[in-house]
Amino acid sequence: MPTPKPQHRVRGSASGRPIMVLLDLLGRRMTLRILWELRDQRLTFRALQEAAETNPSVLNVRLKELREAHLVALADDGYGLTAHGKDLLQTFLPLNAWADGWARLWDGKRR
Amino acid sequence: MPTPKPQHRVRGSASGRPIMVLLDLLGRRMTLRILWELRDQRLTFRALQEAAETNPSVLNVRLKELREAHLVALADDGYGLTAHGKDLLQTFLPLNAWADGWARLWDGKRR
DNA sequence: TCGGCATGCTATCATTTCCGTAGCAAAGGG
DNA sequence: CCCTTTGCTACGGAAATGATAGCATGCCGA
């Protein structure tokens, strides 16, 4: 379960193209969720575990990957996004509003 | 392996908040990749399978989920993004450029 | 009308990943 | 000392994924 790095073969892509590497990384379970939970706060390992509703084993693996990817870093006051991580998160912030609109697709169909 | 729907409990989130549902859906393997491959073209099942470098079993499961999520639809000329899917993809298009910049983090470290 | 071919897709099984729980080592107070 | 919190690891069962083979349908040319 190697951490995907640009220029290296990753699951689902022999090319190592950065976008493919990134899609592999973000497509692993809890990765997007972890980034999301850290979008506006720093959290300890355990606080992050609760926030993301996951367990320490998966969380630890994801955190290792995200740290190797320079998206997350651990400081005295807990885990938080790096400058790169914050930059990436900017891309995802509109997702929240988008998801709300998307959810309305089901509102009319449930009774 | 139920398709996540807003207002319903999903893996990693009891709340059913749309953003959590979306993060669960997008966090499943190959989901982001499939959306990415369809960003500017329609593909047959087999063409999509090759493009995304995956296998029919996983592809079929993901396509079912994406169709139920109204993000992908099948027409005579193959699979393609729905209006909602295209809208969502707009959010991710900047990722390509971002990933190229991100990859440079490793350029200086490889020798 | 009979191959051939491409289509979407399913079945099967081995492998990988994930999940849930218990617990450890270190650091800091009281 | 002991209690708490920290980050994190070990383990076993469950679930998801991956790879391959193959089916049913429809189309097209001979």
Side-chain angles (χ1 to χ4, degrees):
Chain A
M1 177 198 260
T3 300
K5 286 180 176 46
Q7 304 296 342
H8 291 265
R9 167 186 297 266
V10 293
R11 299 181 310 176
S13 174
S15 68
R17 284 166 50 205
I19 182 63
M20 297 305 171
V21 175
L22 182 62
L23 292 181
D24 178 25
L25 180 62
L26 297 181
R28 300 181 179 191
R29 202 156 303 164
M30 291 326 269
T31 303
L32 284 170
R33 176 68 177 269
I34 289 169
L35 294 175
W36 182 258
E37 295 299 338
L38 294 177
R39 70 192 180 284
D40 56 0
Q41 59 186 339
R42 304 189 66 89
L43 293 172
T44 66
F45 187 95
R46 289 175 187 234
L48 184 53
Q49 179 184 331
E50 289 182 35
E53 299 174 70
T54 185
N55 54 47
S57 38
V58 172
L59 179 61
N60 190 40
V61 172
R62 289 296 99 86
L63 284 175
K64 277 182 184 169
E65 295 167 0
L66 288 170
R67 284 197 276 183
E68 289 184 38
H70 304 285
L71 297 177
V72 164
L74 174 61
D76 286 342
D77 55 344
Y79 283 96
L81 298 179
T82 64
H84 280 91
K86 288 176 186 172
D87 193 33
L88 176 60
L89 248 290
Q90 291 305 311
T91 306
F92 294 103
L93 290 184
L95 273 188
N96 199 10
W98 187 91
D100 286 336
W102 174 64
R104 290 190 207 103
L105 279 176
W106 283 268
D107 286 346
K109 295 175 183 175
R110 279 181 298 106
R111 68 219 83 254
Chain B
M1 176 200 262
T3 301
K5 284 181 177 46
Q7 305 296 340
H8 292 264
R9 166 186 299 266
V10 293
R11 298 181 310 177
S13 175
S15 69
R17 283 166 51 204
I19 182 64
M20 297 306 172
V21 175
L22 182 62
L23 292 180
D24 177 27
L25 181 62
L26 297 181
R28 299 181 180 193
R29 203 156 303 165
M30 283 309 184
T31 303
L32 284 170
R33 176 68 177 269
I34 289 169
L35 293 175
W36 182 258
E37 296 299 338
L38 294 177
R39 71 193 180 286
D40 56 1
Q41 59 185 341
R42 304 188 67 88
L43 293 171
T44 66
F45 187 94
R46 288 174 188 233
L48 184 54
Q49 179 184 331
E50 289 182 35
E53 300 175 68
T54 185
N55 54 50
S57 41
V58 172
L59 179 59
N60 190 39
V61 172
R62 288 295 101 86
L63 284 175
K64 277 182 184 170
E65 295 167 358
L66 288 170
R67 284 197 277 181
E68 290 184 38
H70 305 286
L71 297 178
V72 164
L74 174 61
D76 286 344
D77 55 343
Y79 283 96
L81 298 179
T82 64
H84 280 91
K86 289 176 184 170
D87 194 33
L88 176 60
L89 248 290
Q90 292 305 311
T91 306
F92 293 103
L93 290 184
L95 272 190
N96 198 11
W98 187 92
D100 287 337
W102 175 64
R104 290 191 207 102
L105 279 176
W106 283 268
D107 285 346
K109 295 174 182 174
R110 277 180 301 109
R111 70 221 86 251

